[in-house]
Amino acid sequence: MRPVTLGGVPRLLIVHHTPSPHTQAMFEAVLSGARDPEIEGVEVVRRPALTVSPVDMLEADGYILGTPANLGYMSGALKHAFDVCYYPCLDSTRGRPYGLYLHGNEGTEGAQRSVESITTGLGWVKSAAPVVVMAKPSKDDLEKCWELGATVAAQLAQ
């Protein structure tokens, strides 16, 4: 079941934790792709992971999640967002599309696996391959982030 958004416009929620210049650059590229002028009719909302609420999640039609990989796991901030929203969203958000971008210096596999485990439990559908970046994001990495944002937004616009 899709939520009824204000004006009937699909809503894309970007939940992010951006503690470093690298994750900030990735976030900005994702946001730019999601807001591409060629993608019409999608409202893009962004929320820091520590402030996202169940209402934010329930009112969205799709999601992009952004996190650093900390010691092989998603950030505590993104984990907090899932802890707060998991049960209120469990039966109401199944089938919604999502994308993931993450940054790490090593051990990103555990972070990716942890996010995918939770989104699988929620019944969300992966819209695109995750964008995983090590060290400073290259131009190619940022283009992949842009494409991730545009892909999830375009899917909602259809």
Side-chain angles (χ1 to χ4, degrees):
M1 173 195 289
R2 295 177 65 125
V4 178
T5 54
L6 187 61
V9 175
R11 180 176 292 161
L12 172 60
L13 176 63
I14 303 174
V15 179
H16 63 98
H17 184 58
T18 54
S20 72
H22 299 326
T23 53
Q24 183 67 36
M26 294 172 71
F27 167 72
E28 289 173 8
V30 166
L31 183 61
S32 178
R35 290 183 168 169
D36 184 308
E38 292 186 26
I39 302 169
E40 297 179 358
V42 176
E43 178 187 5
V44 178
V45 176
R46 55 190 171 170
R47 293 284 184 271
L50 288 174
T51 67
V52 73
S53 72
V55 171
D56 292 323
M57 290 281 205
L58 291 166
E59 289 181 345
D61 297 285
Y63 313 93
I64 298 178
L65 310 168
T67 183
N70 295 330
L71 303 171
Y73 198 71
M74 75 179 94
S75 69
L78 186 58
K79 178 64 168 75
H80 172 76
F82 281 131
D83 287 346
V84 168
C85 298
Y86 188 86
Y87 285 107
C89 295
L90 186 57
D91 295 324
S92 301
T93 61
R94 291 193 179 282
R96 294 186 188 168
Y98 85 95
L100 169 66
Y101 67 94
L102 61 95
H103 177 271
N105 294 321
E106 59 184 62
T108 58
E109 300 85 5
Q112 182 176 338
R113 188 172 41 254
S114 65
V115 171
E116 290 177 348
S117 176
I118 293 170
T119 55
T120 297
L122 287 166
W124 294 359
V125 179
K126 192 183 309 181
S127 290
V131 178
V132 179
V133 176
M134 303 288 217
K136 181 179 180 180
S138 67
K139 182 179 178 187
D140 185 54
D141 293 329
L142 295 177
E143 286 176 9
K144 288 177 183 173
C145 288
W146 188 96
E147 290 171 9
L148 177 67
T151 297
V152 179
Q155 185 174 0
L156 294 176
Q158 295 178 354

